[in-house]
Amino acid sequence: MSLSQERAPVYEALEEFRRMRVVPFDVPGHKRGRGNKELREFLGEKCVSLDVNSMKPLDNLCHPVSVIREAEELAAEAFGASHAFLMVGGTTSAVQSMVLTACKRGDKIILPRNVHRSVINALVLCGAVPVYVNPDVDHQLGIALGMKVSQVEQAIKENPDAVAVLVNNPTYYGICSDIKSIIALAHAHGMMVLADEAHGTHFYFGDNLPAAAMKAGADMAAVSMHKSGGSLTQSSLLLTGPEVNPGYVSQIINLTQTTSGSYLLLSSLDISRRNLALHGRETFCQVVELAEYARAEINAIGGYYAYSRELVNGDSIYDFDVTKLSVYTLEIGLAGIEVYDLLRDEYDIQIEFGDIGNILAYLSIGDRRQDIERLASALAEIKRLYQKSRNGMMSQEYISPQVVVTPQDAFYARKESLPLKETAGRVCSEFVMCYPPGIPILAPGERITDKILDYIVYAREKGCSMTGPEDEKIEALNVLL
């Protein structure tokens, strides 16, 4: 059967089901909203009437044979993959499924340390051993960059028994590694290549954007459709290449993914894939134009630095995602998180995140020129009202870790809780991170240093949202006995 990207099989099946007026004696218990008036009024009758359970006319996410399978085939074609899986546990679930597919206990995986916590969580689950490539740091911006091909080559040389290489494509800030060369290098040594494309959905549908992982020959890619692709929060795709067994991947996914897949999420993936396949190129051309306009407006203010492809050096910054509106703030004497808080609290503008030295305004298919102008005006006023000396400001965003034991061994080891200031020199057994972006400052198995403790205290004082430890106030850490 030939595929038509104008189809949306899950959405179409739901619309047909809605017209059938079926009497529900199954879950969910709100029974199309009748049993929960407040929920029905809040979300709307149409929405709750389509919050249904798996059944023959609607297929089953755990073992798709009809409409969900068709939707996955269409997604695979649209993204240039051999197979696609609709994911309802977010890209966290897709990333973890990639790692669990490629690795078992004791296997080595080569990866940059500036990965999302979901990657290291997967190592806790499966017991794989991380071989970290510590990325270079841009010392002006304080951010971690991509992996150099030479760094990956050295890691492969020192760990020829590694089974996979994982690549961020791109980083949260828009930095891209030379993914094509890394894929060729890894494949030459019999290793799989996994791509975390949480922030790269648009690469598949844009002109003059960085290389998309599947088109570059990656074995697997986790794609956040809900970020730049327009689907509902928590919906994602897992893409696989021709050398990956989709039946085994399905088994891996079903180890952790819900057996009660949300049809609201599934239909949003289906509709969004259709929109991207039919209109993605023109849409993301407009997003790029908006981003370039925003950069020009913000850089004209002075003090801020909205960076772009001028950073590209052909190696640790092989390419840059120009849709990412990343802005350096320290020259006006404010940490990124301080600008983030001011934008929200004083100007009713919610951006994606602020860290020690940068902010990120996430631009995608729903943004408008007038919104950009409002953001630029607010940034100009923040500079005028709040600018101060940058003396005493911390600028280093990324600190290379000292890995002592594997994440799994550390997470499940005997441990004790100590006051933060007493943990220097000990081995951490939990995560500490600012969220977003969710890149661990500390991960299980890493040695705690004075530099890391200074960073944690500083970030907490500046207002970063710190997550991970058992102690919610981040005044104590669990360390190995």
Side-chain angles (χ1 to χ4, degrees):
M1 184 180 71
S2 61
L3 299 174
S4 169
Q5 290 296 333
E6 294 185 357
R7 293 278 319 282
V10 176
Y11 162 71
E12 292 161 9
L14 280 171
E15 284 286 37
E16 184 176 342
F17 175 79
R18 192 164 59 89
R19 290 191 291 269
M20 291 168 61
R21 301 174 64 85
V22 171
V23 179
F25 285 105
D26 60 351
V27 297
H30 61 67
K31 302 299 175 90
R32 315 293 189 262
R34 291 195 302 271
N36 193 333
K37 178 183 177 184
E38 292 83 2
L39 185 68
R40 185 178 73 244
E41 291 176 350
F42 179 61
L43 295 180
E45 188 169 346
K46 185 171 184 179
C47 178
V48 293
S49 72
L50 295 177
D51 180 33
V52 294
N53 195 27
S54 297
M55 59 189 76
K56 275 193 175 181
L58 298 178
D59 209 354
N60 188 311
L61 183 60
C62 295
H63 186 76
V65 295
S66 58
V67 294
I68 294 176
R69 184 172 182 174
E70 290 176 42
E72 290 181 338
E73 289 172 351
L74 286 164
E77 182 185 73
F79 282 82
S82 295
H83 200 96
F85 297 88
L86 306 186
M87 306 293 293
V88 296
T91 307
T92 287
S93 181
V95 165
Q96 291 177 350
S97 295
M98 285 197 306
V99 176
L100 294 173
T101 297
C103 303
K104 61 182 182 301
R105 181 171 173 80
D107 284 344
K108 293 179 183 177
I109 178 171
I110 296 168
L111 66 162
R113 175 55 179 76
N114 58 322
V115 290
H116 188 264
R117 68 170 296 175
S118 59
V119 177
I120 303 175
N121 281 346
L123 304 184
V124 170
L125 292 173
C126 73
V129 179
V131 176
Y132 288 129
V133 172
N134 282 314
D136 288 355
V137 172
D138 183 301
H139 291 290
Q140 179 194 354
L141 304 176
I143 62 172
L145 306 178
M147 293 190 294
K148 292 180 177 180
V149 175
S150 60
Q151 292 173 323
V152 177
E153 188 171 24
Q154 183 65 26
I156 289 174
K157 182 179 178 181
E158 294 173 357
N159 301 273
D161 54 340
V163 299
V165 178
L166 186 139
V167 186
N168 292 321
N169 195 48
T171 69
Y172 225 136
Y173 302 93
I175 307 295
C176 293
S177 302
D178 182 357
I179 191 168
K180 289 183 180 178
S181 295
I182 290 172
I183 289 170
L185 182 63
H187 283 174
H189 289 82
M191 301 177 188
M192 294 179 69
V193 178
L194 319 177
D196 182 347
E197 288 190 310
H199 302 281
T201 306
H202 47 292
F203 289 2
Y204 292 87
F205 304 97
D207 294 317
N208 198 28
L209 288 175
M214 298 311 296
K215 294 182 180 179
D219 296 286
M220 304 181 78
V223 177
S224 273
M225 282 288 281
H226 70 93
K227 289 188 170 73
S228 58
S231 64
L232 289 177
T233 295
Q234 202 176 304
S235 59
S236 184
L237 293 175
L238 176 57
L239 309 175
T240 63
E243 301 303 316
V244 178
N245 179 355
Y248 181 63
V249 176
S250 179
Q251 289 182 318
I252 293 292
I253 290 170
N254 286 335
L255 290 176
T256 57
Q257 183 163 255
T258 179
T259 56
S260 303
S262 165
Y263 279 87
L264 300 176
L265 298 181
L266 293 172
S267 60
S268 82
L269 282 170
D270 205 19
I271 293 167
S272 299
R273 180 271 314 152
R274 180 173 66 180
N275 287 343
L276 293 179
L278 299 179
H279 311 295
R281 293 201 174 276
E282 63 187 77
T283 299
F284 287 117
C285 180
Q286 295 168 1
V287 174
V288 169
E289 289 176 3
L290 265 183
E292 298 291 20
Y293 170 67
R295 265 187 282 276
E297 290 291 299
I298 292 169
N299 285 331
I301 297 169
Y304 298 105
Y305 175 31
Y307 39 96
S308 188
R309 279 200 168 123
E310 71 278 359
L311 297 180
V312 170
N313 59 24
D315 199 357
S316 58
I317 312 174
Y318 184 77
D319 206 346
F320 186 84
D321 175 10
V322 292
T323 72
K324 295 289 185 294
L325 185 55
S326 303
V327 184
Y328 179 69
T329 66
L330 286 187
E331 289 303 319
I332 66 166
L334 294 175
I337 186 62
E338 292 175 308
V339 176
Y340 169 96
D341 285 340
L342 285 167
L343 284 169
R344 183 194 60 243
D345 297 340
E346 302 297 329
Y347 299 92
D348 296 328
I349 295 173
Q350 181 63 56
I351 59 172
E352 177 68 8
F353 78 85
D355 57 32
I356 297 301
N358 301 267
I359 59 173
L360 173 66
Y362 210 98
L363 302 186
S364 193
I365 60 179
D367 288 294
R368 304 170 299 173
R369 191 178 181 94
Q370 58 262 43
D371 299 327
I372 297 296
E373 290 166 353
R374 182 173 168 183
L375 173 63
S377 296
L379 289 173
E381 189 165 300
I382 286 171
K383 180 194 173 189
R384 181 173 62 83
L385 294 176
Y386 299 99
Q387 183 174 14
K388 57 188 177 184
S389 169
R390 64 168 293 176
N391 290 339
M393 302 289 288
M394 185 177 283
S395 61
Q396 189 74 6
E397 190 62 40
Y398 175 77
I399 302 171
S400 299
Q402 300 173 23
V403 181
V404 181
V405 298
T406 69
Q408 186 182 67
D409 287 343
F411 188 83
Y412 291 111
R414 292 179 62 217
K415 63 199 75 171
E416 63 176 335
S417 178
L418 291 178
L420 200 62
K421 63 182 180 180
E422 297 177 19
T423 60
R426 301 292 291 271
V427 178
C428 193
S429 72
E430 55 188 354
F431 290 93
V432 184
M433 72 204 79
C434 297
Y435 189 85
I439 298 167
I441 302 164
L442 273 172
E446 295 176 359
R447 192 173 300 284
I448 302 166
T449 64
D450 288 329
K451 192 174 183 180
I452 288 171
L453 292 176
D454 289 344
Y455 181 96
I456 292 171
V457 171
Y458 182 86
R460 189 179 60 192
E461 289 174 349
K462 287 295 183 182
C464 288
S465 177
M466 309 287 286
T467 66
E470 283 187 23
D471 177 21
E472 294 180 359
K473 296 180 180 179
I474 327 290
E475 294 173 349
L477 287 178
N478 286 339
V479 297
L480 270 61
L481 285 170

